[in-house]
Amino acid sequence: MTEAVKLKTLSITDLKIGMFVTTVILNDSKNKVKNQGRVNSQRTIESLIKQGVTQVIIKCEHDENNEAPQADIAEKKPTSAELQSNTASCSLEEEFARSCQIYDNTTQCIQDLLNRAQNQQNLSPEAISLLAGEITNSVIRNEYAITILTRIRHHSTYQWEHATNCAILVCGFALFLGLNKKTAQQMTLGALLHDIGLAKVPKGIIDKPTKLTSNEMNVVKKHLLWGHQLCKRDGFTDPIIMDMLINHHERLDGSGYPRGMKQEKLSKLARITAIIDVYDAMTGDKTYKKSQQPINALRYLLSNKDKFDQNLVQQFIKYLGVHPVGSLVQLSDDKLAVIVEGNRSEPLKPKVKIFYSLKLQQYVKAKDCDLTTSLETIIASVRAEDFNINSAKVIRDTVI
């Protein structure tokens, strides 16, 4: 006879790394949700808390070698290597300089990758895979440090910034949803490669300052096929990468491309990638179109219920915040500040760094301000160019 499985209910605060969860319980209610897997990091526990989980049901195990039947929460108990300093939590100040280096290395690598693809050269799988790992580790160490940099935009570098930003946002969102590190890292790699086929699109079309003709748009749509061919040639055949690359322009109502697939055939992964691809595209400067504020991009996603998975859109907004880190805002005391840390319990009260006085029309000494304890409030999001402010310099020079 097989031994009966023993279950135990715990407070979320008693959940430990290595435990196998069978069910999560939301908001001190009897609303139980099946969500099986082994907890492999403290971040997983924190993510469950942020999603409103107050209790969990765990399987009492005597054999630590039992395999998790699903990997929705985690893969397995972490190895000692995973607990070393490369993923140990740290402060924004400790991680930011390292994040800047990772971000710069990644954008340079994507630029080189596009050039290699244009010249029929291999895509350097080792280099791009290593960067996906570095981005993932950075997000695990401090979720805000590298994410701040996704708000630095310029139309001349849009193409490689878009790939880098999507990778960072996909990684952070995947971990926020409770996916394990291995899956998040593969999704990060998929996001870095999702538009690689654009390397085959003529530069005259990519840089065209006016609306594309229908024939030009048909050429652009071929970037999915070309990207698939490039990745398959160089060994990027993981199903996660292929799904993200081929299906990120599909929409729930079948209006997307290349195959016009409808919601019942679209994976959760494809839906996530579509949301983040559109969000970052809308908030980035392009040769033919100015960027929109994050709030407007989020409203667009919310208003197109027939095209984007609304449950995932709502989760993405919870993850990102109404005012994403790296955004510039005007405070009630006529100061400008940059958002440096989000606040998911009180989204309108993040931590900011004040750097500019509207009354004096000049920069002031950078000052930290936690809006949960301050009298100041956010009046509005602002564009750096409206005040002749170099956002890249402000973010890189004042965050730490």
Side-chain angles (χ1 to χ4, degrees):
M1 293 178 61
T2 57
E3 185 178 345
V5 175
K6 295 181 180 180
L7 302 177
K8 183 178 180 180
T9 301
L10 295 177
S11 165
I12 187 66
T13 57
D14 295 326
L15 184 62
K16 307 293 184 187
I17 293 170
M19 290 181 175
F20 186 88
V21 175
T22 65
T23 306
V24 298
I25 303 173
L26 302 172
N27 296 326
D28 289 321
S29 70
K30 294 184 179 180
N31 183 16
K32 298 180 180 180
V33 180
K34 290 289 182 184
N35 195 6
Q36 300 188 72
R38 196 178 300 279
V39 179
N40 74 343
S41 71
Q42 184 62 34
R43 184 181 180 85
T44 298
I45 299 172
E46 293 170 357
S47 177
L48 292 173
I49 293 172
K50 290 172 183 175
Q51 294 176 61
V53 175
T54 56
Q55 292 179 296
V56 293
I57 298 175
I58 67 164
K59 180 162 62 175
C60 299
E61 296 174 299
H62 299 292
D63 181 5
E64 284 299 321
N65 294 318
N66 284 343
E67 294 287 335
Q70 298 181 29
D72 289 338
I73 294 180
E75 277 199 309
K76 58 183 180 178
K77 188 174 180 179
T79 64
S80 58
E82 288 178 316
L83 297 177
Q84 290 176 352
S85 60
N86 67 332
T87 55
S89 296
C90 63
S91 69
L92 176 66
E93 291 75 15
E94 291 173 314
E95 181 62 24
F96 190 68
R98 184 161 40 178
S99 292
C100 289
Q101 188 64 54
I102 294 170
Y103 189 94
D104 293 343
N105 288 345
T106 304
T107 53
Q108 182 61 55
C109 181
I110 296 298
Q111 186 178 8
D112 292 343
L113 210 64
L114 291 167
N115 289 334
R116 293 177 71 86
Q118 288 169 350
N119 296 319
Q120 307 298 321
Q121 296 175 306
N122 288 342
L123 298 180
S124 301
E126 298 82 5
I128 196 73
S129 298
L130 180 62
L131 284 170
E134 290 186 354
I135 289 172
T136 305
N137 288 340
S138 180
V139 173
I140 290 173
R141 288 191 295 265
N142 186 290
E143 66 170 308
Y144 299 119
I146 198 166
T147 309
I148 288 172
L149 300 171
T150 64
R151 295 296 301 133
I152 299 175
R153 312 305 298 266
H154 194 274
H155 68 83
S156 66
T157 54
Y158 169 80
Q159 207 171 346
W160 39 94
E161 283 179 354
H162 176 62
T164 303
N165 293 345
C166 284
I168 293 166
L169 295 173
V170 161
C171 181
F173 190 39
L175 293 170
F176 172 79
L177 292 174
L179 300 179
N180 62 70
K181 180 187 174 184
K182 181 179 178 182
T183 300
Q185 187 165 323
Q186 277 301 100
M187 290 172 66
T188 304
L189 180 56
L192 288 171
L193 293 167
H194 81 286
D195 272 342
I196 189 62
L198 288 174
K200 298 288 189 178
V201 177
K203 188 171 175 58
I205 294 178
I206 293 290
D207 294 337
K208 186 178 178 181
T210 56
K211 186 177 180 179
L212 299 181
T213 66
S214 59
N215 286 338
E216 289 168 337
M217 192 61 212
N218 286 333
V219 174
V220 171
K221 288 181 178 181
K222 290 181 181 178
H223 80 277
L224 301 174
L225 171 63
W226 292 329
H228 177 266
Q229 292 172 343
L230 287 167
C231 286
K232 188 175 180 180
R233 181 197 69 188
D234 291 342
F236 292 110
T237 56
D238 184 279
I240 288 177
I241 296 173
M242 289 291 111
D243 192 2
M244 296 174 72
L245 190 153
I246 295 169
N247 296 322
H248 68 274
H249 284 293
E250 298 286 5
R251 300 293 179 259
L252 300 184
D253 62 356
S255 64
Y257 65 90
R259 292 174 289 180
M261 295 170 65
K262 292 191 175 182
Q263 61 181 36
E264 61 271 12
K265 293 186 177 180
L266 290 174
S267 68
K268 183 176 181 180
L269 179 60
R271 300 175 190 211
I272 289 171
T273 313
I275 289 167
I276 291 175
D277 178 64
V278 167
Y279 167 80
D280 188 74
M282 290 183 68
T283 55
D285 283 324
K286 294 177 276 294
T287 54
Y288 59 90
K289 196 173 186 180
K290 294 290 288 181
S291 65
Q292 297 194 41
Q293 290 288 70
I295 188 66
N296 293 330
L298 296 175
R299 284 173 179 157
Y300 173 82
L301 292 169
L302 284 169
S303 66
N304 283 272
K305 295 179 171 58
D306 57 335
K307 299 183 185 300
F308 303 101
D309 187 314
Q310 291 301 295
N311 179 54
L312 286 172
V313 171
Q314 293 284 357
Q315 289 293 318
F316 183 61
I317 293 171
K318 288 179 183 177
Y319 155 70
L320 197 65
V322 178
H323 300 289
V325 291
S327 300
L328 303 187
V329 294
Q330 179 180 344
L331 301 180
S332 54
D333 62 352
D334 285 331
K335 297 281 198 335
L336 298 184
V338 58
I339 309 290
V340 292
E341 290 189 35
N343 183 347
R344 294 195 177 107
S345 59
E346 294 184 83
L348 297 178
K349 297 183 178 182
K351 291 182 180 179
V352 304
K353 183 87 75 167
I354 297 169
F355 67 91
Y356 191 87
S357 169
L358 293 175
K359 290 180 180 177
L360 300 176
Q361 290 290 298
Q362 65 181 32
Y363 290 93
V364 295
K365 184 178 180 180
K367 175 187 173 185
D368 290 307
C369 180
D370 186 342
L371 296 182
T372 59
T373 58
S374 172
L375 295 176
E376 286 79 23
T377 58
I378 294 175
I379 298 299
S381 295
V382 298
R383 290 180 177 275
E385 56 267 31
D386 291 343
F387 301 93
N388 294 317
I389 287 171
N390 183 332
S391 62
K393 181 173 176 56
V394 164
I395 289 173
R396 289 181 180 257
D397 291 353
T398 67
V399 167
I400 55 174

